[in-house]
Amino acid sequence: MTIVLVVLVVLLVCAVALASASVRVLREYERGVVFRLGRVMDQRGPGLVLLIPAIDRLVRATLRTVTLRIPAQEVITRDNVPVRVTAVTYYRVIDPIRSVVEVEDVLSATMQIAQTTLRSVLGKAELDTLLAERERLNESLQQIIDEQTEPWGVKVTIVEIKDVEIPERMQHALARQAEAERNRRAKVINAEGEFQAAAKLAEAAAVIEPNPVTLQLRTLQALTEMSANQGSTIVFPLELMRALPGLSTNGVRAPLALERQTPAVGSDQLVLRGWAP
């Protein structure tokens, strides 16, 4: 009786061992590649998968998107500026059989391809391009890495440049360059303003020229505006004084001067001084 019980226990243990060796459960995001005597049979999953013990072997592959952080890479740009660049890559397996058969380790292989491509692409770009055109560089990186990993059944969906570290001396140089650029723009804007103002003055002169009375009225208005401060002295060229109404400047040896004086009683008055011949 004891021998029978021992045999039953042994058979039960063997059955459990065989069952555990022949049954696999795959999650929704997992697929299994079945090898039978070393040959690829098919792709299975998700759910319950039955295998032949000691004959079949199952290799799992995940279909979820994997976040691959590319460590900082030392890159020398096209204009010979050393920078440290970090990036991140998102990929997923779309063909489990090829991801198992064609490459030993998908994660490691994709990492090496991403690092090499990052240094190669960014080394062909200038620093200004690297800082200002990241979207274009991201698209180029994604396309190149995806083409290289496609035979492995891997789809690279996104590549993003996270950070670009510039040496401190280059930061100072970039700051000086930005300041010079702002000064240049300020001078250009000022010159454009002077040009537009000169054009408007030319148009105004063309309108005033046919009518001398208009020029005289504008001169008097300018005198009133410039004499707003007390004790001010305004010197006018001889040609401008000829435009004043009722004033003859024939034979005057020096420019005329207009002074603002405040009498003891009464309002302010303008006094015109000059020299007679």
Side-chain angles (χ1 to χ4, degrees):
M1 186 67 179
T2 304
I3 297 176
V4 175
L5 291 176
V6 171
V7 172
L8 291 177
V9 170
V10 171
L11 292 177
L12 181 61
V13 170
C14 293
V16 172
L18 290 175
S20 62
S22 62
V23 176
R24 296 288 187 277
V25 177
L26 300 179
R27 298 179 179 87
E28 183 65 30
Y29 57 84
E30 290 180 331
R31 298 296 184 269
V33 180
V34 178
F35 290 85
R36 180 167 296 171
L37 297 178
R39 297 177 62 87
V40 177
M41 298 303 297
D42 57 1
Q43 169 188 318
R44 299 183 184 180
L48 186 65
V49 177
L50 299 179
L51 304 174
I52 301 175
I55 295 178
D56 291 345
R57 186 174 70 89
L58 184 137
V59 179
R60 297 173 184 263
T62 178
L63 303 183
R64 293 183 297 182
T65 299
V66 179
T67 302
L68 182 62
R69 294 177 177 84
I70 303 176
Q73 301 295 308
E74 299 287 346
V75 179
I76 298 179
T77 61
R78 186 177 180 180
D79 48 353
N80 296 325
V81 178
V83 295
R84 285 173 57 89
V85 182
T86 58
V88 60
T89 300
Y90 296 89
Y91 75 91
R92 59 186 179 87
V93 174
I94 58 176
D95 191 337
I97 295 179
R98 285 194 296 171
S99 69
V100 173
V101 175
E102 299 295 335
V103 62
E104 181 180 2
D105 187 348
V106 172
L107 179 63
S108 177
T110 306
M111 170 71 78
Q112 298 301 321
I113 287 293
Q115 293 181 6
T116 304
T117 305
L118 184 67
R119 290 194 296 266
S120 175
V121 172
L122 299 187
K124 299 177 183 178
E126 297 183 354
L127 180 61
D128 293 340
T129 303
L130 179 59
L131 297 176
E133 301 182 10
R134 288 194 182 185
E135 293 185 0
R136 183 176 64 83
L137 293 176
N138 291 337
E139 293 177 358
S140 179
L141 289 170
Q142 184 271 332
Q143 181 179 2
I144 295 174
I145 298 174
D146 184 53
E147 289 178 355
Q148 295 178 341
T149 57
E150 190 272 336
W152 306 337
V154 174
K155 174 64 177 177
V156 177
T157 56
I158 301 175
V159 178
E160 288 287 343
I161 299 175
K162 294 177 59 178
D163 189 22
V164 178
E165 298 181 8
I166 305 174
E168 185 176 357
R169 63 180 184 276
M170 286 303 303
Q171 295 180 12
H172 295 318
L174 291 176
R176 292 194 299 270
Q177 179 182 358
E179 183 178 0
E181 178 65 18
R182 288 193 296 268
N183 293 335
R184 183 190 69 82
R185 293 181 182 178
K187 292 179 180 179
V188 170
I189 294 174
N190 187 30
E192 291 179 353
E194 293 291 341
F195 176 79
Q196 295 176 3
K200 294 299 180 182
L201 286 176
E203 295 177 2
V207 174
I208 294 176
E209 183 180 6
N211 193 348
V213 178
T214 304
L215 180 60
Q216 295 173 1
L217 293 175
R218 188 69 184 89
T219 304
L220 293 176
Q221 182 181 358
L223 291 175
T224 303
E225 295 175 354
M226 289 185 291
S227 62
N229 297 327
Q230 296 184 0
S232 60
T233 300
I234 306 170
V235 179
F236 293 88
L238 190 62
E239 292 78 4
L240 182 60
M241 296 306 300
R242 291 194 181 99
L244 293 175
L247 179 63
S248 176
T249 59
N250 294 330
V252 176
R253 292 191 300 247
L256 298 176
L258 183 66
E259 291 185 356
R260 178 185 182 89
Q261 297 181 355
T262 304
V265 179
S267 59
D268 296 347
Q269 59 183 353
L270 297 177
V271 178
L272 186 64
R273 297 189 294 104
W275 288 272

